[in-house]
Amino acid sequence: MPIFAAAPAATNGTVVVSPVTANSTIPESIDELSPYGYVPTQWICILFIVLYGVTTGIHAVQAIWSRLWWLFPTPVLAGIIEIIGWSGRLWSSISPTLLDPYLMQIVTTIIAPTPLIAANFVILGQIIRRLGQQYSRLSATWYTIIFCSCDIIALVVQAVGGAKAATAVQDNEDPNPGGNIMLGGIAFQLAAVSIYLVLATEFLLRYHYDKPFQRKSETIMPKSFALDWGVKLMIVGLAFDGVFILIRSIYRTIELSDGWSGRIIETQVYFNVLDGAMIVLAMFTINLFHPGLLLGKADRWNAKSPSEADSENPDMKQHRS
């Protein structure tokens, strides 16, 4: 909507109201009054709400179809939180000086990707079960437990820091202590994601070159038993998803390190591209490379993997390497 300003009084004593030009100082003053340091662009906020709504709806349908109910507290929940966050930014685009929508979006957009990251950990654990746990430093079960626990810790720390920072902003106090707590949570999450990607890469390389870990109590299986097209495509999907999440995590770590009034946090395009777009791409990637489509529905997930079933067969000991 246009912004209007009063022009100098005319000779007949009337006041002429004219639109503010692009070079006027009033839009700059509005940017300065906004807690963002800018006014969120309305159409971009609407676009992201629509995109997150579409991918979240697809994830819900896919979860019901595949009966993989753990998808609801992971990508579906992540999408819902993102929608809330971008709704706050849309609200801010209409009322840029209000504090409530700003606080609403700053907390939700920080924590929203955390459940999505947990989904990646669960999916990789399932791939490890199917291709052979002897190629992984951690068993599939421990892989899921350890990294999902790290995800929960990061979520709690980010939420606590976000709440502290939001309270400080409301009370006109320094939000940096809360921001530092949020930074600690996002940095911890970045470290967990980085380690996850390193271990996942090592697992895939060991599988490709058939270099299993030698464990005394474990039967070493031949590597050719389960690498079907579904598993291959799921690995490709996880690779893209991991890169998108890593980019977003690096960005948010740098953003919070730069401070609440730094150039990075006050530059809208960085947030739109390196946060909003990265998580949208990650969400749609899991829609396209869906674990229910590529790895099977719940009954297949709950069945014993080929490696587990074969390891109980004494005749398979001849395949030890």
Side-chain angles (χ1 to χ4, degrees), residues 276-320:
M278 290 302 104
I279 301 305
V280 160
L281 289 172
M283 293 276 290
F284 275 107
T285 296
I286 298 301
N287 284 136
L288 182 61
F289 298 90
H290 194 266
L293 293 170
L294 301 179
L295 301 181
K297 296 183 179 181
D299 52 351
R300 188 175 176 191
W301 279 62
N302 296 330
K304 284 185 177 180
S305 67
S307 61
E308 291 171 335
D310 290 340
S311 65
E312 294 179 357
N313 184 354
D315 295 335
M316 294 303 298
K317 291 182 179 179
Q318 61 183 333
H319 293 291
R320 288 177 183 269

Side-chain angles (χ1 to χ4, degrees), residues 19-41:
V20 174
T21 64
N23 295 325
S24 301
T25 59
I26 289 182
E28 294 178 359
S29 67
I30 292 177
D31 286 346
E32 292 170 0
L33 289 173
S34 169
Y36 297 85
Y38 59 86
V39 177
T41 304

